[in-house]
Amino acid sequence: MTEFRSLFHSELNQLEVLLLDMSELARDQIDNAVEALLQGDAELAHRVVLGDREIDRLYVEVERRWHEVMARQTPVASDLRLMSLILQAGHSLERMGDQASNIAKIVEATAGLPTNRTILLHIREMRSIVVPMVETAMEALVKRDLNLALRLPELDDPADWLNRNMWKEVAACASNPELLEWAIRMMLVSRALERVGDRAVDIGEQVAFLLTGELHEFPEGWIPTPRPA
């Protein structure tokens, strides 16, 4: 029985390693997609689109191994919560890769159109928020850190605010049809980055459920207990 459980936990560890590989790729994809946008780099954008295939491949591998483990081990209690986290986190990371690919495709679609510095600054700021959120979510998972997981909604608030207010900058471009066309596409970029932040929060919620067995609703304005020094 001990050997059986040891094999089970070894398989779980392998699944977590796959998730970490996915998270590193997703983080880099998001970063590179926004960089391609900021620099007008069509070649980098194309590499991001192609790079999404590797994230998809890893997700398929996570699902395949997940089903094999479930079929052989029939986990219960905390092990079942971990299995749920692995599957949900894999889906969230796969969707992050899709958002990065969507941003890269917008780079290609808006080539040659005029741009707006303020909007690009907003996009840059959103990247500086959501990319570290991906890292924080995975750190919470690896370290089984409840306080870190519960901080994610607070970290997400600035990205939500920037996304909600992007329309004001877009409306200011209305007098120039070509600039307005570009700006409207930037609303899609903003929404994609906001969704990346939401996916990081989703992973945090799954980590919290793993550790407590309770669903956390994260009320607005909630501040977690400070981490010990």
Side-chain angles (χ1 to χ4, degrees):
M1 180 64 71
T2 301
E3 182 179 348
F4 189 71
R5 294 293 296 172
S6 177
L7 175 61
F8 176 45
H9 287 289
S10 174
E11 291 173 327
L12 290 180
N13 288 338
Q14 292 172 25
L15 282 168
E16 286 195 46
V17 169
L18 284 174
L19 286 182
L20 287 173
D21 289 343
M22 285 185 70
S23 72
E24 291 177 3
L25 285 173
R27 177 200 63 203
D28 290 345
Q29 285 280 95
I30 298 159
D31 196 36
N32 287 334
V34 175
E35 189 62 24
L37 179 72
L38 297 173
Q39 302 299 329
D41 190 334
E43 182 179 347
L44 179 57
H46 183 62
R47 292 203 301 270
V48 170
V49 173
L50 294 179
D52 188 43
R53 297 174 185 172
E54 179 61 14
I55 297 179
D56 290 343
R57 185 191 69 79
L58 287 172
Y59 180 54
V60 169
E61 181 67 9
V62 167
E63 279 200 319
R64 183 186 69 79
R65 294 194 188 186
W66 187 91
H67 283 100
E68 288 179 354
V69 172
M70 286 292 289
R72 289 197 306 268
Q73 306 289 355
T74 57
V76 296
S78 61
D79 288 335
L80 187 57
R81 293 202 299 270
L82 178 55
M83 290 296 291
S84 175
L85 184 157
I86 287 170
L87 192 62
Q88 293 297 325
H91 177 67
S92 290
L93 292 168
E94 188 272 337
R95 292 300 298 151
M96 289 180 191
D98 288 346
Q99 298 295 354
S101 180
N102 290 340
I103 293 171
K105 291 174 182 176
I106 289 172
V107 175
E108 298 173 344
T110 56
L113 292 176
T115 63
N116 176 277
R117 181 175 180 273
T118 301
I119 290 176
L120 289 176
L121 287 173
H122 277 225
I123 297 296
R124 184 192 300 272
E125 186 174 355
M126 290 189 75
R127 175 181 65 173
S128 73
I129 295 167
V130 301
V131 170
M133 284 183 67
V134 178
E135 298 169 349
T136 298
M138 295 309 295
E139 183 181 356
L141 192 161
V142 170
K143 295 181 177 179
R144 305 296 195 263
D145 190 321
L146 180 60
N147 274 300
L148 204 55
L150 297 180
R151 283 189 59 213
L152 283 159
E154 179 187 353
L155 297 176
D156 192 39
D157 284 345
D160 289 341
W161 185 89
L162 287 166
N163 180 60
R164 285 196 303 269
N165 287 277
M166 179 63 77
W167 70 270
K168 298 176 183 177
E169 303 301 332
V170 173
C173 301
S175 62
N176 183 331
E178 286 193 335
L179 180 58
L180 181 61
E181 179 184 351
W182 174 86
I184 289 172
R185 300 291 182 93
M186 293 308 104
M187 290 187 70
L188 300 178
V189 173
S190 174
R191 175 59 175 164
L193 291 172
E194 188 265 345
R195 290 301 298 148
V196 170
D198 287 348
R199 292 290 180 177
V201 172
D202 289 345
I203 294 173
E205 290 176 347
Q206 290 294 320
V207 172
F209 181 62
L210 169 69
L211 298 174
T212 67
E214 299 176 356
L215 295 175
H216 293 258
E217 296 183 358
F218 301 132
E220 186 175 355
W222 182 85
I223 300 175
T225 303
R227 299 176 67 189

